[in-house]
Amino acid sequence: MKNFLVKTIANAGALGVAIWLLKDITLTGDNTGRQALTLILVALVFGVVNVVVKPIVKLLAFPLFILTLGLITLVINALMLLLTSWLAGKLDLSFNVDGFGTAVLGGLIVSIVAWALHVVLPDDKD
């Protein structure tokens, strides 16, 4: 349970940084509390997408991993961010990613920040 909470907080922080840095990734809400709640809910959706969908896509794209020496990971991360944006729209969460280029940059930012937060935040292995 602690590991799940840490990953959700790291995803929320990483998504928050991407929203802050890129103008085409938006999170709207009436007030700061509503935006924070929406960000946590979007982080949960992002976590579910990464646990359920991403391994299947990585398995199907394995030949491309070899061919591109792993650079296809940027495209897969962008697709996961776009899927999260689409699911957030279906769940009436005010999170939006405009365009594939923005999703690639956002995916890169989210990956780097989430990795850094996972290093800093404690987990069950400590």
Side-chain angles (χ1 to χ4, degrees), residues 26-76:
T26 57
L27 178 76
T28 56
D30 298 336
N31 54 35
T32 305
R34 180 75 174 151
Q35 287 180 345
L37 178 63
T38 302
L39 184 60
I40 291 171
L41 292 173
V42 169
L44 287 171
V45 170
F46 187 67
V48 169
V49 165
N50 280 326
V51 167
V52 176
V53 178
K54 191 172 184 178
I56 297 168
V57 172
K58 285 175 82 172
L59 180 66
L60 294 174
F62 183 70
L64 291 175
F65 275 100
I66 294 169
L67 185 65
T68 64
L69 301 175
L71 289 177
I72 192 71
T73 304
L74 294 172
V75 174
I76 291 173

